[in-house]
Amino acid sequence: MAHDPEQGGSRLDALVTAVRTSAGWRSKQHIGVVSDVFGAPDWVRGPGDDGAVVDAEGTSLIVCGEAILPAFLERDPFGAGIAAVLTNVNDVAAMGAVPLAVVDTLVGDEATCRTALEGMRHASALYDVPVVGGHLTIDPVRRALSAFALGRCPGPPLSATAVRPGHRLGLLGCLEGTMRADFPFFPSFDERGDRLAGDVRLLAGLAERGACTAAKDVSMAGLLGSLAMLLEPTGSGVTIDLADIPTPDGVDLDEWLVCFPCLVFLVSGPPGQEGAVAAAAAERGLTYATLGTIDGSGVLRVREGGTTADVIDLRVEGVTHLPPVAGPPTV
């Protein structure tokens, strides 16, 4: 991260450009078509947040789904099977829920399907969540994998609609692992092993205690893209000092900001609760770092030294292009 101070502005501008032109960020621009068809989202009950909250006689259930990139399935069907479970379990966790079950839909030749299912079975054991069914189509030409999860909230759901000015923003996750050379993914499976099952259940406990009120898993949009999505529903803002962002050993910050980490969440909660979140993370051997204070500006900014740059002004543009929340949160 060392650079010539006189080049600070151009350095940050280049960083912002790289983030905003990444494939993960750009892929989120199409989500707005959902509201074009279904109308303005509820954000909590869907579509909008990492998962949708379904009330079941007073119990908040979370439902969500993910489609895996076909190119990833073709190149690494075992890894794609793991990702099908991982992405859903992380989405459930980001809503403050405990994962209950996963189902999948899989299309491909028999060898690809078998290997992808083996990847799902492996991830099922790591995360202690059963794959209970789905649909399989053997096709020698086409390949597609999607998976869906059900979770249960022991306390109030975590929701991006609960982001508020004055709340503290933090990063919670695992910095152990090695970046893949062929895909912007940072796995921690070997390092965490079966501890991942408890890791993804940590946020449910923090939500139940009121230490966190909102969360977003860092996924294909990268850290700053995922943060923009966390801020987007309420039009909130924050300024992040790049020096405050923890990075794994051997991974450059520029690379870290646009990758999909196996286990990293952005969390927000009332001031004074950071100690409780940090202690819960440390108890599991995870990293927690405070990144800043949420404000009402609607602008996500990054700072390095004495230079700042706007990543996105949510007052004039969006990431997902879903309409903002109207009124107070409904969770």
Side-chain angles (χ1 to χ4, degrees), residues 199-321:
D199 294 342
V200 296
R201 289 161 171 80
L202 179 60
L203 284 176
L206 291 172
E208 193 172 15
R209 294 158 53 187
C212 294
T213 55
K216 175 73 69 175
D217 74 304
V218 177
S219 57
M220 284 301 298
L223 194 150
L224 294 178
S226 299
L227 175 54
M229 292 169 67
L230 178 66
L231 301 170
E232 186 174 19
T234 58
S236 298
V238 70
T239 298
I240 303 295
D241 194 313
L242 295 181
D244 291 335
I245 300 175
T247 58
D249 292 340
V251 177
D252 185 78
L253 179 63
D254 297 51
E255 187 180 19
W256 181 240
L257 291 180
V258 296
C259 84
F260 180 177
C262 170
L263 185 79
V264 174
F265 297 90
L266 296 162
V267 296
S268 174
Q273 293 294 330
E274 304 101 300
V277 181
E283 187 175 350
R284 293 205 57 80
L286 298 173
T287 295
Y288 175 77
T290 299
L291 298 182
T293 301
I294 304 294
D295 60 51
S297 69
V299 181
L300 169 57
R301 294 187 176 93
V302 288
R303 179 174 58 228
E304 188 173 42
T307 306
T308 62
D310 292 356
V311 178
I312 188 169
D313 185 342
L314 294 166
R315 297 168 300 183
V316 297
E317 63 173 322
V319 183
T320 67
H321 299 290

Side-chain angles (χ1 to χ4, degrees), residues 70-252:
F72 187 21
L73 177 61
E74 292 174 3
R75 289 200 306 266
D76 183 3
F78 187 83
I82 292 175
V85 175
L86 155 73
T87 52
N88 279 284
V89 169
N90 280 0
D91 281 348
V92 167
M95 297 297 295
V98 174
L100 299 178
V102 171
V103 297
D104 69 277
T105 60
L106 181 57
V107 179
D109 61 272
E110 185 172 345
T112 296
C113 290
R114 182 179 294 276
T115 306
L117 289 171
E118 289 171 349
M120 293 189 70
R121 181 182 63 186
H122 178 69
S124 171
L126 285 178
Y127 288 103
D128 192 22
V129 56
V131 177
V132 297
H135 178 81
L136 173 66
T137 296
I138 299 299
D139 188 306
V141 178
R142 298 173 180 84
R143 293 177 180 85
L145 171 60
S146 295
F148 314 88
L150 174 69
R152 178 184 61 81
C153 295
L158 298 176
S159 172
T161 64
V163 171
R164 289 289 179 272
H167 281 196
R168 298 289 280 163
L169 173 71
L171 180 149
L172 170 63
C174 176
L175 302 186
E176 305 167 73
T178 303
M179 190 76 72
R180 283 184 65 132
D182 62 338
F183 192 75
F185 180 63
F186 182 82
S188 301
F189 306 116
D190 292 339
E191 292 75 13
R192 295 304 292 176
D194 58 10
R195 288 179 293 173
L196 285 165
D199 294 342
V200 296
R201 289 161 171 80
L202 179 60
L203 284 176
L206 291 172
E208 193 172 15
R209 294 158 53 187
C212 294
T213 55
K216 175 73 69 175
D217 74 304
V218 177
S219 57
M220 284 301 298
L223 194 150
L224 294 178
S226 299
L227 175 54
M229 292 169 67
L230 178 66
L231 301 170
E232 186 174 19
T234 58
S236 298
V238 70
T239 298
I240 303 295
D241 194 313
L242 295 181
D244 291 335
I245 300 175
T247 58
D249 292 340
V251 177
D252 185 78

Side-chain angles (χ1 to χ4, degrees), residues 17-41:
T17 298
V19 166
R20 290 189 52 119
T21 58
S22 68
W25 178 296
R26 288 186 285 110
S27 70
K28 302 301 180 182
Q29 302 291 307
H30 306 297
I31 296 176
V33 72
V34 177
S35 60
D36 291 344
V37 175
F38 285 95

